[in-house]
Amino acid sequence: MVKALGSIIFFLALVISCPAQRSFEIDQDKDHFQLSFELISDLVIVPVEVNGVALSFLLDTGVDSTILFNLSEVDSLEVKNATTILLRGLGAGEPIQAIKSSGNELRIGKATSSSLSLYVVYDYEIYLSHRVGVPIHGILGYDFFKDFILEFNYPRQKITIYKPEAYRSKKCGKCEELPLSFHKNKPYIRVGG
């Protein structure tokens, strides 16, 4: 494991082998924007609006779709086109009941998706808020990452989010490049030989 010392910028470039329609677009013909985040127990927490309601989400490259949970304190959120489903893959054991909702508007900084599908999970021990001490209402993953290149500056707690065609790699003498590969929409970094 490589420890971060001083000012390290972590580059995460998601490259998709086949062309895909973007879920998110950056507003006003901009090619990038900055977003502040909270770093709590090595977790990156970002502000997200879901259908106009301000929430806090955990960024997680290992999650395929956007997941909502811990909505007990958010009574004004309406999800659209809801269907009850059984959801697998949230830990060991039996599938759990969830709601699949399509056609939702999400806004992360200056990036917007006007028709995103998400999953609402109730009665599942995924609630992180009590563990980290701040409200976390969901997890944002591949749905967001696939459309952009993200540059993390952990000491400043800022993310610069670029359209892939606008990103230009910078030289960094203190940085280390590691090979990145994808399997089932999840990124993996190979370390060692």
Side-chain angles (χ1 to χ4, degrees), residues 121-135:
V121 178
Y122 296 102
D123 299 326
Y124 183 69
E125 293 189 25
I126 195 171
Y127 305 126
L128 299 169
S129 297
H130 67 280
R131 293 183 189 151
V132 297
V134 297

Side-chain angles (χ1 to χ4, degrees), residues 147-159:
D147 292 331
F148 303 113
I149 294 176
L150 282 69
E151 183 180 278
F152 288 79
N153 185 323
Y154 286 99
R156 291 184 55 228
Q157 294 189 4
K158 297 275 187 197
I159 307 170

Side-chain angles (χ1 to χ4, degrees), residues 61-112:
T61 58
V63 173
D64 213 17
S65 300
T66 302
I67 300 171
L68 278 169
F69 53 83
N70 190 18
L71 298 176
S72 58
E73 59 193 52
V74 184
D75 58 0
S76 60
L77 178 65
E78 290 184 34
V79 293
K80 301 176 182 179
N81 307 314
T83 306
T84 303
I85 62 165
L86 290 176
L87 192 60
R88 296 180 187 275
L90 289 174
E94 297 297 315
I96 60 170
Q97 193 170 33
I99 295 172
K100 180 179 180 181
S101 172
S102 60
N104 296 284
E105 183 174 312
L106 268 74
R107 172 174 283 283
I108 298 106
K110 297 192 182 305
T112 305

Side-chain angles (χ1 to χ4, degrees), residues 39-60:
L39 186 62
I40 302 170
S41 301
D42 294 329
L43 301 174
V44 174
I45 314 297
V46 295
V48 176
E49 281 186 25
V50 178
N51 298 328
V53 176
L55 304 171
S56 295
F57 276 55
L58 170 67
L59 283 184
D60 186 344

Side-chain angles (χ1 to χ4, degrees), residues 170-187:
K170 300 173 192 123
K171 287 279 188 187
C172 178
K174 296 180 182 179
C175 298
E176 180 179 353
E177 285 189 27
L178 299 171
L180 185 66
S181 61
F182 294 87
H183 181 68
K184 296 185 179 180
N185 297 337
K186 291 180 176 54

